[in-house]
Amino acid sequence: MSADAQRGDNARMTTLRIATRKSPLALWQTEHVAAALRAAHPGLVVELVPLSTRGDEVLDRSLAAIGGKGLFLKELELAMQRGEADCAVHSLKDVPMELEPGFALPAILRRADPADAFVSNRHAELATLPQGARVGTSSLRRQAQLRARRPDLQLVDLRGNVNTRLAKLDAGDYDAIVLACAGLQRLGFDVRIRARLAPPQWLPAPAQGAIAIESRDDDPGVHALLHVLDDAPTRTCVEAERAMNRALHGSCHVPVAAFAQRDGDALSLAGLVGSAHDGRIIRADAVGDIDEPEALGGRVAKLLLAQGADALLAAEAEPDTGPFRS
């Protein structure tokens, strides 16, 4: 527990330390959270604790090959356990479906654009790429949907932060790359988006576009500070998406996509399981009550499994410890 919190649950915290990755996007998101917290709690001192993670350091292999997106969290969680930070800011799509024991997500901010972005210097959209064009992406989910639409494309691994990926495109390493719209927009690269790859035809990663704040679950003083940033409509949608992924035992090892939307008292959820190898796609959708997002996620997962998603997931989850497979 932080020093401020140890003074008592009802004591007013004066300083909050936020652990963050060092990438430009991670720092932007953390500064965004810090500014919102300062505005919500006048007098609160917010300090950033930048850290390097294994997911940032190992760039010569796919995320699936080195252990998944959870590698972006581990060092930040260790900093909280050691008392060096009070909370951490993440892209929620990078947060495992099951948190490590002792941690919670007291705040999920309002979601930004959840769509993927088609980025190219010479081509306006996916359909206009020439036969055999080189497309960069490190996401198995994106690979599956690209193969389903354009089996002729040559898919090539693309790791690194947003700036690095754009630089590789500009250097001519790729004909196009696929990134998240939210990341590009947050860093001021809106003009690089040539076309949005958006629902319902193209589905994003579960919780894509949402920022989450993680903290220890035994720190009520921190929870009280963070809860003011929680956006209930966003939490409802991402809980349905993450529940579907959890029921499928999904991770970055398998191509799983989901997107939920609220419509009055109803909540709709579209889900997808695909193959990054041959572009096979299984889809399902359902509508439920906004008060039961977890149940809706479970229903869509069952619909996907009834169509054979379990076999597809098992095939896609085979260990891959070598270089990226195109």
Side-chain angles (χ1 to χ4, degrees), residues 3-53:
D4 283 309
Q6 288 176 345
R7 298 171 192 160
D9 292 350
N10 296 322
R12 179 180 175 85
M13 291 184 65
T14 57
T15 302
L16 186 76
R17 299 159 301 164
I18 308 179
T20 176
R21 294 161 58 194
K22 295 180 179 179
S23 74
L25 179 57
L27 290 170
W28 185 98
Q29 292 179 163
T30 306
E31 290 285 8
H32 176 72
V33 167
L37 286 170
R38 294 183 187 111
H41 306 290
L44 178 68
V45 176
V46 182
E47 300 175 352
L48 271 60
V49 183
L51 299 169
S52 180
T53 73

Side-chain angles (χ1 to χ4, degrees), residues 69-319:
K69 292 183 177 178
L71 294 174
F72 290 132
L73 280 73
K74 191 61 180 176
E75 283 81 359
L76 279 61
E77 290 176 338
L78 289 173
M80 287 186 278
Q81 288 177 330
R82 292 191 299 261
E84 298 168 1
D86 302 301
C87 60
V89 172
H90 309 296
S91 294
L92 185 52
K93 69 182 179 67
D94 293 338
V95 177
M97 298 307 108
E98 298 287 355
L99 294 178
E100 289 292 323
F103 292 97
L105 298 177
I108 299 174
L109 279 64
R110 183 177 179 180
R111 191 179 209 167
D113 190 341
D116 279 332
F118 175 84
V119 182
S120 176
N121 293 328
R122 293 176 293 172
H123 307 285
E125 57 183 350
L126 182 61
T128 62
L129 283 174
Q131 286 282 117
R134 290 169 57 88
V135 178
T137 174
S138 59
S139 162
L140 299 181
R141 171 190 60 83
R142 289 168 180 157
Q143 293 168 32
Q145 294 184 87
L146 285 167
R147 290 202 189 282
R149 289 192 177 195
R150 291 289 306 271
D152 62 287
L153 296 176
Q154 182 182 358
L155 305 186
V156 187
D157 192 24
L158 177 65
R159 293 289 311 281
N161 60 47
V162 172
N163 305 65
T164 298
R165 297 184 190 197
L166 290 173
K168 291 179 178 179
L169 173 69
D170 294 340
D173 295 348
Y174 309 92
D175 295 296
I177 61 177
V178 181
L179 302 172
C181 283
L184 290 167
Q185 292 162 349
R186 286 166 178 159
L187 291 175
F189 292 127
D190 309 56
V191 295
R192 301 301 300 266
I193 301 174
R194 297 297 298 271
R196 292 174 71 251
L197 300 171
Q201 291 82 11
W202 180 286
L203 296 185
Q208 183 160 303
I211 295 173
I213 313 177
E214 183 184 23
S215 68
R216 297 182 302 277
D217 62 7
D218 63 350
D219 204 336
V222 170
H223 286 211
L225 288 174
L226 301 179
H227 185 68
V228 297
L229 302 188
D230 192 59
D231 184 72
T234 295
R235 183 177 285 272
T236 297
C237 290
V238 299
E239 283 182 350
E241 296 166 14
R242 287 171 59 81
M244 186 207 83
N245 202 11
R246 187 181 305 113
L248 293 170
H249 304 290
S251 68
C252 85
H253 291 272
V254 292
V256 173
F259 182 63
Q261 288 181 292
R262 290 177 50 137
D263 184 9
D265 293 332
L267 181 68
S268 64
L269 174 64
L272 176 154
V273 172
S275 169
H277 302 299
D278 59 25
R280 284 178 293 162
I281 295 289
I282 296 174
R283 292 176 175 265
D285 58 79
V287 178
D289 192 285
I290 58 171
D291 295 325
E292 298 180 337
E294 296 266 345
L296 178 60
R299 282 175 54 200
V300 173
K302 287 181 179 179
L303 292 171
L304 290 166
L305 291 170
Q307 298 180 62
D310 50 350
L312 192 57
L313 289 168
E316 291 294 309
E318 292 177 357

